[in-house]
Amino acid sequence: MTADFGQLKKLEPGAQVIEYPMFQLEGRPVLKVKHAGRTNRGYANAVDKMNAKASPLRRIAQGKLDRRTIDAAREDSRELFAKHVVIGWEGVLDTSDKPAEFSEDNCRAFLFALPDYLFEELLRFCTDPTNFLPDMPDEEEIEAQAGN
């Protein structure tokens, strides 16, 4: 009989939405984000569709790196994030310091306006599955459950 390892499924990143604070920006906005990976079907399908073509993301995956490819892949990522990853926000201010209403178009404009290093921090956070794991009990909770 083959052993069952179904308990490992709980280590998959969840479909939950989490908050990503942007402390570097005035007003300290918070983006509501989903995982940028396989558990986000819209995102995963869009990446697969891009990779079926000769997209910059595909060229990077093939190890074909040059500045134009990297810049184009970053632009593609900003598009994908506006459509599939960032689903809301709080405290995002426009140029006149007024709260910007969340919409896909406003999100796209915001992501394209971000300096590359800030967008890349967001990208790294959202692609890291450990940021989207379901709440796991900590060591004290495990000991309490065990009666220790």
Side-chain angles (χ1 to χ4, degrees):
M1 176 193 280
T2 303
D4 180 9
F5 298 103
Q7 80 279 12
L8 298 177
K9 283 289 184 193
K10 67 184 174 188
L11 298 177
E12 288 287 331
Q16 73 268 24
V17 174
I18 63 173
E19 295 184 345
Y20 178 78
M22 299 193 79
F23 300 111
Q24 310 90 328
L25 301 181
E26 189 172 331
R28 298 195 175 186
V30 174
L31 305 183
K32 313 285 183 167
V33 297
K34 294 165 62 173
H35 180 235
R38 290 275 156 224
T39 57
N40 180 338
R41 286 186 190 252
Y43 177 82
N45 290 340
V47 168
D48 288 346
K49 194 173 185 179
M50 282 183 156
N51 285 339
K53 303 174 186 173
S55 77
L57 293 174
R58 181 177 180 189
R59 289 182 49 80
I60 286 175
Q62 294 170 339
K64 298 175 181 173
L65 296 176
D66 60 57
R67 182 146 182 88
R68 283 190 306 243
T69 300
I70 292 169
D71 290 344
R74 190 180 300 114
E75 285 186 23
D76 286 350
S77 293
R78 290 178 203 256
E79 286 287 339
L80 290 172
F81 271 52
K83 288 181 182 177
H84 304 289
V85 176
V86 181
I87 64 158
W89 62 37
E90 295 173 4
V92 173
L93 304 176
D94 65 15
T95 302
S96 58
D97 285 337
K98 293 185 178 159
E101 181 181 340
F102 181 83
S103 69
E104 186 178 316
D105 288 337
N106 282 347
C107 183
R108 182 180 298 103
F110 174 76
L111 294 176
F112 273 88
L114 278 178
D116 290 344
Y117 76 95
L118 289 177
F119 178 74
E120 288 166 6
E121 284 181 18
L122 172 65
L123 185 136
R124 279 190 297 275
F125 179 87
C126 292
T127 56
D128 182 348
T130 62
N131 291 323
F132 296 87
L133 292 178
D135 289 335
M136 305 292 279
D138 63 19
E139 192 173 326
E140 288 179 17
E141 291 171 319
I142 291 169
E143 286 188 25
Q145 290 171 0
N148 296 332

